[in-house]
Amino acid sequence: MRVLVVDDSERLREALRSGLGSVGLAVDVAADGRAALAFLDAGAYDVIVLDLLMPRLDGREVLREVRRRGLDARVLVLSALDCVDERVSRLDDGADDYLVKPFSFEELRARVLALGRRRHEQPVPVLEHCGLRLDTSRRTATGPGGGIELGPKEYALLEVLVRHPGRVYSRAQLFEQLYSADSIASDKVIEVLMSTLRAKLACGGLEDLIETRRGFGYAAR
């Protein structure tokens, strides 16, 4: 899941980058509305976490532009403005959720994951495929042999593949799904993740879940 955090507080941006990144999400951050639109020009996002009061271009205008463009990203407004009229106006403008500052990070994380599921038309948080059970809310994996301990990026890689069984993803496509735009890593990191993920799946009784299509990429069987 790709997330764009838009807030003029550097401290909050970096806290959310770190916190959401720790559960395997690919997080980009923007300090104002114009920077946010530049990110949206460059790529697609599943969820936008959007502050309202920002310099250069405020969150209200960003939200209206997102909907004017017809982007299907889910938008979570994150604001200190707590009046009913403001919440109603932003929802009317096309926001999918509204969370008032100060907030609990665990609540924000849960809302972001729920919005991501909604975008992928997955009403329940559990994915099941060929003996694998993924709880996308708790970010846990279970196989025929029991729980499978996965790191955040390993889990994220597995979820991308299992959401669309049979779809082939190139190494570059998987890298784009898992890493932020400013990552200094190479897309060769996907090969390392794939190796460790396959070893852990094998230990959990799912050694043949992921196949390699030579010259094309990887797919869940």
Side-chain angles (χ1 to χ4, degrees):
M1 187 187 301
R2 294 185 59 79
V3 179
L4 177 62
V5 173
V6 189
D7 198 290
D8 61 347
S9 166
E10 181 178 5
R11 181 178 180 181
L12 180 57
R13 290 196 308 273
E14 294 308 316
L16 294 184
R17 187 209 295 265
S18 175
L20 295 173
S22 72
V23 295
L25 306 188
V27 184
D28 289 320
V29 296
D32 58 57
R34 292 193 185 281
L37 294 182
F39 274 107
L40 294 172
D41 286 338
Y45 292 87
D46 297 289
V47 179
I48 303 170
V49 179
L50 181 64
D51 187 23
L52 293 181
L53 302 180
M54 296 181 294
R56 300 180 71 195
L57 189 68
D58 72 11
R60 299 179 184 90
E61 291 303 317
V62 173
L63 174 59
R64 294 184 187 117
E65 179 63 14
V66 166
R67 295 311 176 216
R68 187 190 68 78
R69 296 183 183 187
L71 303 180
D72 65 351
R74 299 299 188 253
V75 178
L76 168 61
V77 170
L78 188 63
S79 176
L81 300 175
D82 191 22
C83 63
V84 173
D85 287 347
E86 183 66 36
R87 296 200 302 271
V88 170
S89 293
R90 301 296 70 80
L91 292 170
D92 284 345
D93 282 343
D96 298 280
D97 201 355
Y98 194 112
L99 184 60
V100 176
K101 298 176 181 179
F103 58 91
S104 157
F105 172 75
E106 289 304 313
E107 181 180 4
L108 180 139
R109 179 193 60 79
R111 290 186 184 221
V112 166
L113 293 176
L115 288 174
R117 291 195 299 272
R118 193 183 307 170
R119 180 176 183 267
H120 291 284
E121 299 180 350
Q122 182 200 349
V124 295
V126 175
L127 292 171
E128 294 185 286
H129 178 69
C130 295
L132 173 71
R133 186 177 190 274
L134 287 183
D135 187 323
T136 63
S137 178
R138 294 182 173 85
R139 317 291 281 176
T140 58
T142 307
I148 303 171
E149 294 294 328
L150 299 177
K153 291 301 185 188
E154 293 166 347
Y155 173 87
L157 175 58
L158 182 58
E159 184 178 325
V160 169
L161 295 172
V162 171
R163 280 191 183 278
H164 302 283
R167 176 176 172 178
V168 179
Y169 288 87
S170 70
R171 191 173 69 185
Q173 287 173 325
L174 291 171
F175 182 82
E176 183 179 341
Q177 290 287 322
L178 270 62
Y179 289 87
S180 60
D182 61 355
S183 173
I184 61 173
S186 158
D187 65 7
K188 291 183 179 179
V189 71
I190 297 300
E191 295 179 0
V192 178
L193 283 173
M194 191 64 70
S195 176
T196 58
L197 174 59
R198 279 175 158 157
K200 291 181 179 182
L201 289 174
C203 290
L206 296 164
E207 58 271 15
D208 297 322
L209 183 66
I210 300 173
E211 63 176 326
T212 299
R213 305 278 182 87
R214 294 198 178 278
F216 295 97
Y218 305 95
R221 294 182 185 274

